[in-house]
Amino acid sequence: MGILILILAAAVRSGTPVLYSVMGEILTERSGVMNLGLEGVILIGVFAGFSATQSTGDPVNRRPSDADAGCGNENTRAPSSHAAVSH
């Protein structure tokens, strides 16, 4: 019984970021915008936050690097996708 609870807790911990991205995608799709790269933005942000925490030893530095990496990824990817769609 104990291992089942541990597995379910790990599933909830692992699925929470994806749940947040799905909720955000639902809101943006209602406005007519479709973004299929949300999971990639989350992974890039997590990697940047982990790297910042490991290199500085201070977990407070994790949040700004998460946001910078996610926004930087979107800002470099968005112009190419908008140029391809607009006629």
Side-chain angles (χ1 to χ4, degrees):
M1 186 69 173
I3 190 76
L4 180 63
I5 292 174
L6 291 174
I7 290 173
L8 290 175
V12 169
R13 269 194 320 267
S14 300
T16 302
V18 177
L19 176 67
Y20 288 149
S21 69
V22 167
M23 289 190 312
E25 182 65 21
I26 289 170
L27 291 176
T28 57
E29 280 186 8
R30 289 186 65 139
S31 67
V33 178
M34 189 169 188
N35 184 2
L36 298 176
L38 289 174
E39 290 84 5
V41 172
I42 290 172
L43 286 176
I44 288 172
V46 167
F47 180 72
F50 179 77
S51 298
T53 302
Q54 288 295 319
S55 64
T56 62
D58 187 14
V60 175
N61 292 331
R62 177 179 56 93
R63 293 272 183 206
S65 63
D66 287 351
D68 290 344
C71 290
N73 179 35
E74 285 298 307
N75 288 336
T76 57
R77 197 173 56 82
S80 63
S81 64
H82 287 281
V85 172
S86 62
H87 299 291

